[in-house]
Amino acid sequence: MALVLFDRHLHQSLLPVTYTRSVADIRTGILTIQEYWQRVSGKEVFVDTADYLHPLYKAPAEDMHLYIDAGVIAGEALAAKIFSLQPGEALEDSNGIIACYGKGAGFSHHFSFTKRYMQEVPVQRLQHTWQLFQWNAAAIFRDFKL
């Protein structure tokens, strides 16, 4: 199992920052989003982004993977909930999927969920470029703790 950060739905809303990189490569605090997930999980992290950026990223092998919305800025509690997901389970909120544990191959994945859990506490999702500045101080403190 590996982690796959997906950002297809966010890519356009974060232009021009995401013109030459995925959302996972945006630096929030000290670390990029991808580096943060590598540190907290200890697993290999793959990125699924806009088609024209696929040559920049290694595709995951066909297997069960934990898929995480690349725009989610997670703290310890949310990361623990995400890592506790079992195959076929998804964690979502009113804005959609936060994370799910499903089968995929390369940059294609199709999910069918046996259980869906609603996240009741609001989740910070990076949706606008100005949020990088607004949340930067909190992200720096979070990264120092790591």
Side-chain angles (χ1 to χ4, degrees):
M1 177 195 78
L3 271 64
V4 179
L5 301 176
F6 62 92
D7 69 6
R8 290 173 174 257
H9 64 288
L10 288 172
H11 199 264
Q12 291 293 319
S13 67
L14 293 170
L15 288 172
V17 176
T18 55
Y19 188 70
T20 58
R21 73 186 90 190
S22 74
V23 173
D25 282 337
I26 294 175
R27 189 164 305 281
T28 58
I30 299 168
L31 304 170
T32 66
I33 295 169
Q34 182 177 14
E35 290 169 341
Y36 170 79
W37 286 108
Q38 285 172 332
R39 291 248 176 142
V40 299
S41 71
K43 299 187 181 302
E44 188 170 11
V45 178
F46 295 92
V47 176
D48 184 7
T49 187
D51 291 341
Y52 73 94
L53 293 174
H54 281 172
L56 301 175
Y57 300 98
K58 182 179 168 188
E62 183 172 352
D63 199 0
M64 296 293 285
H65 299 298
L66 187 57
Y67 291 85
I68 303 171
D69 183 339
V72 169
I73 308 298
E76 289 179 27
L78 181 58
K81 278 187 181 181
I82 291 171
F83 294 137
S84 70
L85 290 174
Q86 298 300 311
E89 294 181 341
L91 180 63
E92 59 186 327
D93 65 2
S94 59
N95 291 322
I97 298 291
I98 297 167
C100 61
Y101 197 153
K103 189 168 182 84
F107 293 116
S108 67
H109 39 272
H110 304 284
F111 306 115
S112 59
F113 306 118
T114 55
K115 288 186 181 177
R116 291 178 180 234
Y117 300 102
M118 286 301 291
Q119 173 68 15
E120 295 176 15
V121 177
V123 174
Q124 274 190 322
R125 287 181 188 258
L126 187 59
Q127 297 174 333
H128 308 284
T129 53
W130 52 264
Q131 290 170 323
L132 292 169
F133 301 101
Q134 183 181 19
W135 298 340
N136 195 44
I140 288 172
F141 288 119
R142 177 199 69 192
D143 294 349
F144 265 117
K145 286 182 183 179
L146 286 176

